[in-house]
Amino acid sequence: MAASSNPQNDQLLPHIFDKMEQDYEQLLSSIAEVVEELGEPEVARALSLVGPSHAVSDEYTEPLHNPEMEMHALSVAFQLLNLVEENAAAQTRRLRETEEGPTREPGLWGQNFRQLMEQGFTAAEIAKALRSIHVEPVLTAHPTESKRPTVLALHRELYLLMVQLENQMWTPNERREIHKKIKATLERLWRTGEIYLSKPDVASERDNILYYLREVFPSMVERLDQRLEQAWGAAGVAEPLERKPEHFPRLRFGSWVGGDRDGHPLVTPEVTRESLQKMREAGVKVLGDALRRLNGELTLTARQQEPPANLRGAMIRLSDDLGPEARVILQKNTDEPWRQYINLILEKLHRPLSADDSKCYRNKGALLRDLKVVRESLDRIGATRLADSLVFPVERMVDVFGLQMANLDIRQNSSYHDLAVENLLELAGFADTRFSEWPEEKRLEFLNRELASPRPFAPLFAPLGKEAASVLGCYKVLAEHLALTGGEGLGSLIISMTRQLSDLLVVYLLAREVGLAQSHGEGLFCPLPVVPLFETVDDLHKAPGIVEEFLKHPITKRSLRKFAPCADGVTAADGRPVQQVMVGYSDSNKSGGILAAQWNVHRAQKTLADVAAENGVHIRFFHGKGGTTSRGAGPTHRFLEALPHGSLTGHFRLTEQGETIAQKYANAITGTYNLELLLAGVTSITLKHSRPCTEDEALLEAMEALSEKTHEAYAELIVADRFLDFWSAATPIDALEMSTIGSRPSRRTGRRTMEDLRAIPWVFSWTQSRYYLPGWYGIGAGMERLKTQQPAQFQVLLEKGARFPFLRYVLTNAETSIASADVELMESYAALVTDTALRNRFLDLITTEYTRTQRMIDEVFHAPREQRRPRMTRTLRLRDAGLRRLHRHQIRLLRDWRSMREAGDSRADSVLPTVLLSINAIASGLRTTG
């Protein structure tokens, strides 16, 4: 283990703390000057109370004198602290790499290469593994990003100015100019409204995602490859990596924006069509810009080097394809054949999409083949350095982004598909149309009978019901795109709340209706992956049996083995087909508590991987992780280490939701770091999983028992009589459900039940009120019950738990939630519950469990939290003073706003924006929503 991974031995911690505090004081001083210059001295004073010197002050009890302005000021102050922490972390990583070498930073290429070689893996084995890696972050517009894109853009400007100041080359006058720019940017941030006054539409969310795909991620790809090559050399490998796209890990991006229609009525077939078109436009722009740069660089003259035959032949072929326009292109740069060839490629790239391969680039495959000609022609004239430095980065850009930038997934709830089938049954005149109520045996008999025929179920041009029209309209868009592009840019068909085999087979039936599922000599097949999403604890238990039946189904076997497009990695390196399975962390947590939920996800992955292996298939797990620990978040490298042995075979997808996109990827340095963690971690863990591993049965039995007991303790709370009444009053859930964060409704159907409530507002409400309850509740009671009732198994956890990657990961994340929770503030929010008996009953349960969980985690880790995690303790302390002032003001606002609503006072509507501003300010301070 690297010395830097133990905080007690980390010599750079003092540097981190000093840098954070100095930079924060400097920015606070600058924003306070700006505010005072704008005529707000009291607000400037409020900013001075949240600096490092006031981090443990009692002045938070002072009320806000100018509430809206001071809340805005505190929100801005926390936004600046978040930037300072991000920059301090980045600069500390650079310093550690400079002083201790590239193998010391946890989770990155250098440390992973060193560990793999220490474990006996050869350079050849690692190089081979690199070629089999396929990692795909999937960007979603989940409603957890409370900041407007305009504010996020200002954050990016400030971050770049802070990085600029790190450079020691500037003269005093130049540094003063940079400070002026910082103050000007801070003034713009101060004058810019923070909250959404109306819900963003899907187009706005799509534009935000496209900004990252178009403007942010492309700049990171070359840096990622450079860091891989540098770490490879630092590991002592004599043979460098060959600079060909197929020799590097495959990075892709996915998107749900415009495709995720689960409980989202605004995502229509037309929105999906527009999304695919916009993504194509972005892809053509990004690749066009890269090719134009290459065109400006490949100024080789034919007078000094004869163009090889392969280049001349390719130019003739492209000229024939493009027709008269080619002659115009070839009249320019007549002595520079490489530039002429790139110009021909550019002409073809910008042609409108059509079914004719010769007239346009339908997908990236043909473009990569034409670029390969450039690389090989340079190799043939001895210009390999130019091929490596100029052409390879463009090839990688094409390989990573393609012409669509990202794969658009389509997600829909299984119950909605059932309603679509009922529409079709009604149209066909069936006597019994209640498909959703049919027993599984009857559903399967009907589906298998229908799927044996290639004919559509519904008559052509027949009027469809709402659900059938929505699903079939979407699938028709996908079928049209598939015919034009061969499938590039199309992701998976994901079924939320998969609970039985028929939920998956229904998709084949619906896809057949519009020709998305096609007929072959052997029978029906589906060219797009049909992906189950298992979310609740019960569904995770059933998942292995459902997947096994699904893999044995003839249509699935045909789709996986013969007909699914292989261009984007549906086949593993060993030739086996790959079945994608999505596992959700949010709903399982909501129903089972954090430890039981994550243990059930862990156990399901292990069993699913075994089931797939028995059927000659690899599982590609798609992890539906949110931005909080209770929704699956946590340090990337620790998460990967905690995966069950054998479950990672090189293919890995995960969601990047809402606020996590800006936190991880808004800035190039931080974004490159987070992508490197993913690529390096997946490569390393894939190799480690390829070797046999003996499981510790005693430890697994102890974990199973602990999971059951934590689930028991958590369930006792959430099913307790009137618990939802307590939650509704003791948290700002009512205000959150009226917020304008995200375009999607907070409930799937609008019913106010635990089952219908989405996990995001559930977590968001507990976070805002400083309970953080979904992130830790049940762990303390579960451990204590295990200790009392099964002491031998508890002893196993004491002896081995801290070294078991899964338990260490979950408990560390739970501890982060515990540290962020605050009993005094819990009590203050609970005071909003007017029923005293109700308030005292649940508050006592929660605070007792809080203390117990903290104590039991310390017992497992054999040391108190403050000693083990000084960095977290310090950063929480920096936020404490300002957050307490905000929380106390929010509680007053909630009390007044609720009283007005109950009295029918029209002023309640005018108070709501102020309540939402308090939510936004607290989210900035906590650096999380849901």
Side-chain angles (χ1 to χ4, degrees):
M1 182 177 289
S4 61
S5 64
N6 184 346
Q8 297 176 60
N9 298 330
D10 192 345
Q11 302 302 311
L12 294 180
L13 271 181
H15 168 79
I16 299 173
F17 295 151
D18 289 346
K19 178 163 184 55
M20 279 171 44
E21 294 185 3
Q22 289 168 12
D23 289 354
Y24 189 34
E25 285 281 18
Q26 189 175 64
L27 283 177
L28 277 180
S29 174
S30 296
I31 186 65
E33 287 173 20
V34 167
V35 172
E36 187 152 9
E37 289 162 4
L38 295 175
E40 298 287 352
E42 282 297 319
V43 179
R45 179 178 175 275
L47 282 164
S48 71
L49 295 179
V50 296
S53 58
H54 290 270
V56 290
S57 167
D58 288 333
E59 295 186 69
Y60 66 79
T61 56
E62 183 180 321
L64 301 182
H65 303 289
N66 185 345
E68 286 203 31
M69 294 292 280
E70 290 185 39
M71 280 195 295
H72 180 46
L74 291 170
S75 178
V76 169
F78 287 129
Q79 294 167 39
L80 299 180
L81 177 55
N82 296 336
L83 293 176
V84 162
E85 289 179 336
E86 181 181 347
N87 186 46
Q91 297 304 325
T92 302
R93 288 193 299 271
R94 295 168 68 89
L95 182 62
R96 179 175 289 121
E97 191 167 308
T98 300
E99 294 187 356
E100 302 178 20
T103 65
R104 307 306 288 177
E105 187 65 38
L108 300 184
W109 283 119
Q111 187 188 77
N112 276 294
F113 285 153
R114 177 177 62 79
Q115 290 177 348
L116 288 169
M117 289 176 178
E118 287 174 353
Q119 293 173 26
F121 289 96
T122 66
E125 288 175 312
I126 299 172
K128 182 179 179 182
L130 288 173
R131 297 195 288 270
S132 70
I133 300 305
H134 187 131
V135 171
E136 189 174 342
V138 180
L139 310 179
T140 80
H142 280 59
T144 63
E145 177 54 83
S146 59
K147 300 176 193 66
R148 295 170 56 213
T150 304
V151 172
L152 295 173
L154 288 166
H155 289 175
R156 284 188 285 270
E157 288 185 43
L158 279 171
Y159 185 85
L160 290 175
L161 288 167
M162 289 167 59
V163 171
Q164 205 174 346
L165 273 181
E166 302 289 340
N167 197 322
Q168 298 303 310
M169 66 177 281
W170 308 116
T171 66
N173 281 335
E174 288 169 331
R175 295 183 73 81
R176 278 191 285 273
E177 286 302 314
I178 296 172
H179 279 294
K180 283 183 183 178
K181 290 179 182 177
I182 287 175
K183 286 186 69 174
T185 309
L186 287 171
E187 181 172 344
R188 288 163 59 207
L189 180 62
W190 176 256
R191 291 179 180 273
T192 299
E194 281 191 56
I195 63 173
Y196 287 102
L197 295 178
S198 59
K199 275 184 172 290
D201 57 18
V202 179
S204 300
E205 293 174 331
R206 180 179 61 221
D207 289 344
N208 187 46
I209 296 298
L210 282 172
Y211 171 83
Y212 283 91
L213 290 169
R214 188 180 59 242
E215 308 293 340
V216 178
F217 289 122
S219 67
M220 298 176 190
V221 173
E222 188 169 5
R223 178 64 179 150
L224 278 168
D225 290 342
Q226 288 171 355
R227 286 192 57 81
L228 168 57
E229 291 173 307
Q230 290 161 1
W232 186 252
V237 182
E239 188 69 25
L241 293 170
E242 194 171 355
R243 296 205 108 201
K244 294 180 179 178
E246 61 268 24
H247 288 202
F248 279 64
R250 304 181 76 183
L251 176 66
R252 299 287 185 273
F253 290 93
S255 173
W256 276 14
V257 184
D260 182 12
R261 52 220 330 116
D262 180 9
H264 199 327
L266 301 179
V267 181
T268 62
E270 186 55 37
V271 165
T272 299
R273 177 180 283 107
E274 289 173 1
S275 297
L276 289 168
Q277 290 171 346
K278 294 289 185 183
M279 290 164 72
R280 170 87 183 191
E281 290 169 10
V284 169
K285 181 186 184 305
V286 167
L287 298 185
D289 290 346
L291 285 163
R292 276 186 283 275
R293 287 192 296 272
L294 179 62
N295 182 55
E297 293 164 337
L298 283 179
T299 54
L300 287 73
T301 172
R303 290 194 299 272
Q304 285 191 236
Q305 48 265 308
E306 178 70 20
N310 74 320
L311 182 67
R312 293 196 303 268
M315 287 177 70
I316 293 170
R317 173 179 51 79
L318 270 180
S319 297
D320 291 343
D321 288 347
L322 297 175
E325 287 88 347
R327 288 195 293 274
V328 177
I329 291 169
L330 294 175
Q331 287 171 5
K332 302 176 182 177
N333 310 113
T334 54
D335 195 38
E336 297 173 324
W338 280 271
R339 294 186 72 183
Q340 289 182 312
Y341 182 66
I342 298 299
N343 279 326
L344 291 171
I345 291 176
L346 277 164
E347 171 64 25
K348 188 171 182 178
L349 176 70
H350 287 95
R351 291 283 182 92
L353 183 59
S354 74
D356 188 344
D357 283 321
S358 66
K359 301 304 180 187
C360 68
Y361 288 115
R362 297 174 61 212
N363 52 53
K364 68 182 179 184
L367 179 54
L368 281 171
R369 287 192 293 274
D370 285 349
L371 280 172
K372 187 178 180 181
V373 170
V374 183
R375 172 159 48 85
E376 290 179 343
S377 69
L378 292 172
D379 286 339
R380 290 180 186 183
I381 65 169
T384 300
R385 182 185 294 110
L386 298 185
D388 287 349
S389 63
L390 302 181
V391 182
F392 173 74
V394 181
E395 289 180 297
R396 277 289 276 171
M397 195 82 74
V398 175
D399 191 51
V400 170
F401 297 105
L403 290 160
Q404 290 285 151
M405 296 304 291
N407 296 318
L408 183 67
D409 285 341
I410 304 299
R411 184 175 73 136
Q412 184 54 278
N413 199 287
S414 59
S415 61
Y416 197 92
H417 287 157
D418 285 355
L419 294 175
V421 173
E422 290 181 0
N423 291 165
L424 297 179
L425 292 173
E426 289 169 6
L427 194 62
F430 271 60
D432 181 1
T433 62
R434 302 295 293 171
F435 180 76
S436 59
E437 298 175 3
W438 290 4
E440 178 69 350
E441 184 178 353
K442 182 177 179 180
R443 287 163 63 104
L444 290 175
E445 189 274 330
F446 164 75
L447 289 168
N448 284 320
R449 183 179 67 249
E450 281 298 320
L451 290 170
S453 167
R455 61 153 179 78
F457 187 75
L460 190 63
F461 304 121
L464 299 172
K466 182 182 74 171
E467 291 82 9
S470 175
V471 175
L472 299 185
C474 171
Y475 285 5
K476 185 176 180 181
V477 170
L478 302 183
E480 292 168 354
H481 188 84
L482 181 71
L484 280 176
T485 68
E488 183 165 311
L490 297 181
S492 307
L493 305 174
I494 301 170
I495 301 89
S496 298
M497 295 296 172
T498 299
R499 290 179 167 154
Q500 51 197 353
L501 174 62
S502 60
D503 292 336
L504 301 175
L505 301 186
V506 157
V507 178
Y508 291 147
L509 177 71
L510 295 169
R512 187 199 63 181
E513 292 299 295
V514 293
L516 179 59
Q518 302 161 15
S519 185
H520 187 271
E522 296 181 26
L524 200 70
F525 72 96
C526 187
L528 296 184
V530 174
V531 177
L533 167 50
F534 300 109
E535 300 175 83
T536 68
V537 170
D538 286 344
D539 293 344
L540 288 163
H541 284 156
K542 294 184 290 186
I546 295 171
V547 169
E548 179 159 34
E549 289 180 300
F550 185 59
L551 291 176
K552 292 182 183 300
H553 197 277
I555 298 179
T556 306
K557 292 169 77 170
R558 283 194 293 272
S559 300
L560 287 177
R561 294 183 184 280
K562 292 188 177 180
F563 307 113
C566 299
D568 209 32
V570 278
T571 302
D574 61 5
R576 291 187 185 185
V578 175
Q579 171 63 47
Q580 189 181 149
V581 173
M582 187 171 183
V583 289
Y585 293 77
S586 302
D587 283 289
S588 56
N589 183 294
K590 183 160 68 82
S591 64
I594 184 168
L595 192 144
Q598 297 214 15
W599 178 248
N600 278 284
V601 172
H602 182 91
R603 186 177 58 182
Q605 287 179 76
K606 175 63 177 170
T607 311
L608 283 165
D610 291 342
V611 164
E614 290 166 6
N615 285 273
V617 172
H618 285 302
I619 289 284
R620 182 188 193 188
F621 285 110
F622 181 8
H623 297 268
K625 288 156 52 69
T628 56
T629 57
S630 47
R631 297 186 54 240
T636 298
H637 59 299
R638 300 301 182 204
F639 170 78
L640 293 169
E641 289 171 358
L643 292 174
H645 191 84
S647 65
L648 191 53
T649 55
H651 290 244
F652 183 82
R653 289 186 106 207
L654 82 163
T655 53
E656 298 287 16
Q657 298 184 13
E659 65 191 350
T660 65
I661 298 173
Q663 290 173 2
K664 287 186 174 183
Y665 303 115
N667 300 303
I669 295 173
T670 306
T672 302
Y673 166 71
N674 282 298
L675 289 174
E676 183 177 345
L677 283 175
L678 270 177
L679 290 166
V682 170
T683 302
S684 179
I685 300 301
T686 294
L687 276 165
K688 293 172 183 177
H689 283 195
S690 69
R691 291 187 171 178
C693 175
T694 303
E695 294 185 314
D696 188 325
E697 293 299 330
L699 182 56
L700 296 181
E701 288 176 11
M703 281 302 309
E704 192 68 31
L706 179 61
S707 171
E708 290 174 4
K709 295 188 183 306
T710 61
H711 190 178
E712 270 174 23
Y714 178 82
E716 287 168 6
L717 178 73
I718 65 169
V719 303
D721 183 45
R722 299 196 65 198
F723 172 66
L724 291 184
D725 293 339
F726 172 83
W727 163 64
S728 296
T731 76
I733 182 60
D734 47 353
L736 287 170
E737 291 188 317
M738 300 180 73
S739 75
T740 50
I741 299 173
S743 65
R744 195 174 69 172
S746 63
R747 294 176 182 274
R748 287 187 168 92
T749 66
R751 299 191 309 271
R752 194 171 182 81
T753 63
M754 189 71 175
E755 293 73 24
D756 188 57
L757 179 74
R758 292 189 186 274
I760 290 170
W762 167 255
V763 174
F764 198 167
S765 62
W766 289 114
T767 300
Q768 275 278 308
S769 46
R770 296 300 288 276
Y771 291 87
Y772 277 77
L773 187 139
W776 56 267
Y777 194 92
I779 289 177
M783 285 187 169
E784 195 169 76
R785 291 175 191 183
L786 188 69
K787 183 177 183 179
T788 303
Q789 299 167 14
Q790 296 166 268
Q793 293 195 329
F794 182 75
Q795 191 60 35
V796 170
L797 289 183
L798 282 185
E799 293 172 0
K800 302 176 180 180
R803 297 191 304 276
F804 181 37
F806 170 81
L807 186 60
R808 183 178 64 216
Y809 175 75
V810 175
L811 292 187
T812 300
N813 287 342
E815 186 174 58
T816 300
S817 294
I818 282 279
S820 301
D822 187 293
V823 170
E824 183 183 346
L825 288 170
M826 290 181 203
E827 292 170 348
S828 298
Y829 278 94
L832 292 167
V833 183
T834 55
D835 185 326
T836 305
L838 180 69
R839 175 207 311 155
N840 292 341
R841 176 159 66 100
F842 285 110
L843 184 61
D844 183 60
L845 285 172
I846 292 168
T847 55
T848 299
E849 177 64 1
Y850 171 87
T851 303
R852 181 164 45 218
T853 301
Q854 191 166 247
R855 185 181 72 248
M856 297 306 296
I857 290 176
D858 284 348
E859 190 169 344
V860 170
F861 285 127
H862 311 293
R865 180 180 71 232
E866 290 76 9
Q867 181 182 336
R868 291 179 287 105
R869 305 184 69 182
R871 183 172 176 177
M872 181 184 70
T873 303
R874 187 74 165 263
T875 188
L876 288 171
R877 193 184 306 157
L878 278 172
R879 299 165 186 273
D880 192 47
L883 275 170
R884 288 183 180 276
R885 296 191 75 198
L886 286 170
H887 282 298
R888 291 187 181 282
H889 188 68
Q890 185 184 76
I891 290 166
R892 286 193 288 270
L893 281 171
L894 285 170
R895 184 177 287 113
D896 293 345
W897 176 65
R898 288 171 178 175
S899 296
M900 291 175 190
R901 293 183 74 202
E902 287 171 11
D905 190 330
S906 60
R907 290 178 300 165
D909 291 341
S910 62
V911 173
L912 179 60
T914 311
V915 177
L916 298 180
L917 180 59
S918 75
I919 289 170
N920 202 63
I922 290 171
S924 293
L926 297 173
R927 208 178 185 186
T928 189
T929 55

